[in-house]
Amino acid sequence: NFKMLDNSYLNVTIYMKNPNKDLNVNISQCNNSALQLTIVYLCKKDLNLNVIDNIIGYNNKSKILIKAYVEKNILNILEQVNALENSKENIAIESVKGLLDKGIIKVIPNMEIATSNVMANHLVSMSSFNKDYLFYLACKGINKNTAKKIIKQGFILSDLDDEIRGR
């Protein structure tokens, strides 16, 4: 749980590999706050990921990125933004990117916006392993399992900051 004070900035990256339990993230933003939340979720069992952003005041910005890799299981993602009636001049951007390996990702985008003075966007994109990429790597002598690992690593690292990637 994160409660952001007035005039604050929070940049958080959560990396979870093969978690054993559901993840619940709750954020409250008051006034003049900026949030950058990145969640990387690699799971091999059925789980739930719930992210709730409560926008209470004015002039808040939130950018939430969820990247999930799902292997032969189901991941349920709830992304919820609540903007109260008196809140104004806020921006909320949610993005979910999924890579599937015989798994399923179910996304529930829930935006409860009680004011017309909020810009809110939600984006979801899902894909499985691109057969052309697998073929190209096979032509280079890389077996299918190693090729999938390379593609998965590129997917995971593509939106992360250089500090997180270790560069």
Side-chain angles (χ1 to χ4, degrees):
N1 291 333
F2 302 101
K3 180 172 171 61
M4 299 182 66
L5 302 175
D6 290 353
N7 304 308
S8 62
Y9 173 76
L10 181 63
N11 186 345
V12 175
T13 299
I14 300 170
Y15 178 87
M16 301 201 59
K17 183 175 181 180
N18 302 325
N20 291 319
K21 61 181 182 174
D22 297 338
L23 176 64
N24 297 299
V25 178
N26 293 298
I27 304 121
S28 294
Q29 293 181 267
C30 293
N31 298 302
N32 289 315
S33 68
L35 167 70
Q36 171 80 35
L37 173 63
T38 303
I39 299 174
V40 178
Y41 213 67
L42 313 174
C43 60
K44 294 184 178 181
K45 61 188 276 188
D46 293 351
L47 289 170
N48 298 303
L49 171 58
N50 303 307
V51 179
I52 300 171
D53 185 12
N54 296 300
I55 299 173
I56 299 164
Y58 62 90
N59 198 30
N60 295 294
K61 295 174 181 66
S62 65
K63 182 177 178 185
I64 299 170
L65 169 62
I66 298 174
K67 297 191 86 168
Y69 169 75
V70 177
E71 184 179 305
K72 300 176 188 168
N73 59 296
I74 298 172
L75 175 62
N76 297 302
I77 299 174
L78 167 67
E79 267 194 309
Q80 182 167 331
V81 172
N82 302 317
L84 300 180
E85 185 175 352
N86 293 329
S87 63
K88 58 184 176 179
E89 297 177 18
N90 295 298
I91 299 171
I93 300 170
E94 298 178 342
S95 179
V96 177
K97 297 180 181 181
L99 179 60
L100 310 172
D101 191 3
K102 300 177 186 166
I104 298 171
I105 297 176
K106 297 179 182 177
V107 179
I108 301 169
N110 189 9
M111 295 191 164
E112 296 182 14
I113 311 296
T115 177
S116 62
N117 205 345
V118 172
M119 184 184 81
N121 289 316
H122 179 78
L123 166 74
V124 175
S125 66
M126 300 291 158
S127 68
S128 57
F129 287 98
N130 185 313
K131 291 179 183 173
D132 291 337
Y133 294 166
L134 293 172
F135 177 76
Y136 173 79
L137 293 170
C139 289
K140 300 291 184 186
I142 299 171
N143 69 46
K144 188 174 184 177
N145 287 337
T146 303
K148 282 185 173 184
K149 287 180 185 177
I150 292 168
I151 294 168
K152 182 173 81 170
Q153 184 176 16
F155 168 76
I156 292 166
L157 296 177
S158 65
D159 292 305
L160 299 179
D161 292 337
D162 286 340
E163 306 90 52
I164 296 166
R165 285 187 268 179
R167 293 187 177 169

